[in-house]
Amino acid sequence: MKIVSTPDNLQVLHEDNHIIVVNKRVGDIVQGDQTGDMPLSDIVKLYLKKKYNKPGEVFLGVVHRLDRPTSGLVVFAKTSKALTRLNESFKNRETQKTYWAVIKNAPPKVEDTLEHFLVRNPKNNTSKAHKKEVPNSKKAKLSYRMFHQLKTYSALEIDLHTGRHHQIRCQLAAVGCPIKGDLKYGADRSNPDGGIHLHARKLTFVHPVTKESLTITAPTPEDVIWNEVSN
């Protein structure tokens, strides 16, 4: 059964006066879209309002996003000062993002760096990977390391060097390793919860106010495959 986040079951990984980091569930949308479903940003606002018994509007700034079928950690700013500084930090790629992915087929190498040129198609909300630069393409680069082998799947730890639309999904599919459940990029069947096995596992960044280095890790969702990978 799919569990969606609510103010009562929100998985808070870190909170202080300036930021709050939550573990996004599959199916949560970070910001409002045309579906009209309540976004995670509003759920976090309600959580803060209830927790601190705040009257009136709660300030919450969205710093970055994750695709709806993806799980993992998302950082929100609780003050405008924190939002401005975090936006700058993420824009300048002063953060280190690590993802876990469960893929079909073993990758070409146990560890490698992939470079492609991606072209986004807004009509069907996908990106296409090219080996060489083509018109309107953006360079995409990631490094991966296979850390677990299952019977029909492999688990990768991925470090992003660029931040492109659907980058991990698109680049892995381009080397014949679509992510489990990702019908949009070549998986042969969907997951029961409608999500994909891509998880924003770890984030290292400089706190926007205290300036200390923070590393936060998000537990994987509860399912048979993630449980096996995590142990």
Side-chain angles (χ1 to χ4, degrees):
M1 191 181 78
K2 186 164 89 169
I3 301 171
V4 293
S5 293
T6 69
D8 297 317
N9 70 9
L10 196 66
Q11 295 179 302
V12 179
L13 304 174
H14 173 92
E15 187 190 352
D16 58 43
N17 290 336
H18 306 282
I19 63 172
I20 181 167
V21 185
V22 302
N23 195 7
K24 173 185 149 359
R25 292 179 167 94
V26 161
D28 292 341
I29 45 168
V30 176
Q31 258 187 321
D33 66 4
Q34 69 279 3
T35 62
D37 296 341
M38 182 179 277
L40 195 55
S41 54
D42 283 359
I43 291 162
V44 176
K45 280 185 186 180
L46 289 172
Y47 165 85
L48 293 170
K49 191 176 176 71
K50 188 175 175 183
K51 181 177 178 180
Y52 298 107
N53 198 22
K54 284 183 173 244
E57 187 69 20
V58 174
F59 178 87
L60 192 79
V62 176
V63 178
H64 64 122
R65 298 167 188 78
L66 286 180
D67 296 339
R68 188 165 195 167
T70 304
S71 58
L73 59 83
V74 181
V75 182
F76 295 98
K78 290 171 65 178
T79 62
S80 54
K81 182 203 286 187
L83 179 61
T84 302
R85 291 178 180 175
L86 282 171
N87 280 341
E88 197 66 22
S89 176
F90 273 72
K91 182 181 159 193
N92 295 334
R93 305 209 60 80
E94 294 161 356
T95 58
Q96 190 176 343
K97 297 177 184 175
T98 301
Y99 289 77
W100 279 7
V102 176
I103 58 167
K104 187 183 174 187
N105 308 323
K109 298 176 183 174
V110 174
E111 55 183 286
D112 200 6
T113 296
L114 302 180
E115 287 191 16
H116 292 94
F117 291 89
L118 306 191
V119 178
R120 184 173 182 173
N121 181 345
K123 283 184 182 173
N124 61 8
N125 192 33
T126 60
S127 285
K128 184 172 172 57
H130 299 266
K131 288 182 179 176
K132 294 178 179 176
E133 193 167 3
V134 298
N136 302 316
S137 64
K138 291 183 176 177
K139 188 176 180 180
K141 185 178 178 182
L142 64 78
S143 300
Y144 73 80
R145 173 183 68 85
M146 188 171 80
F147 68 93
H148 199 96
Q149 182 77 61
L150 300 149
K151 195 177 286 183
T152 50
Y153 299 101
S154 306
L156 305 184
E157 184 167 272
I158 298 153
D159 288 317
L160 278 181
H161 305 299
T162 53
R164 305 300 182 204
H165 177 255
H166 289 181
Q167 180 179 336
I168 297 174
R169 300 165 67 179
C170 181
Q171 285 197 271
L172 291 178
V175 293
C177 299
I179 294 170
K180 185 180 182 303
D182 198 357
L183 294 177
K184 198 169 257 194
Y185 287 96
D188 45 16
R189 63 172 70 91
S190 60
N191 288 340
D193 62 4
I196 63 175
H197 274 71
L198 178 62
H199 181 69
R201 174 67 171 172
K202 191 166 71 174
L203 181 68
T204 299
F205 63 103
V206 174
H207 190 284
V209 178
T210 67
K211 301 302 179 189
E212 65 179 317
S213 178
L214 284 179
T215 297
I216 299 169
T217 302
T220 51
E222 280 290 321
D223 78 28
V224 175
I225 288 181
W226 278 132
N227 291 346
E228 188 172 341
V229 164
S230 303
N231 294 330

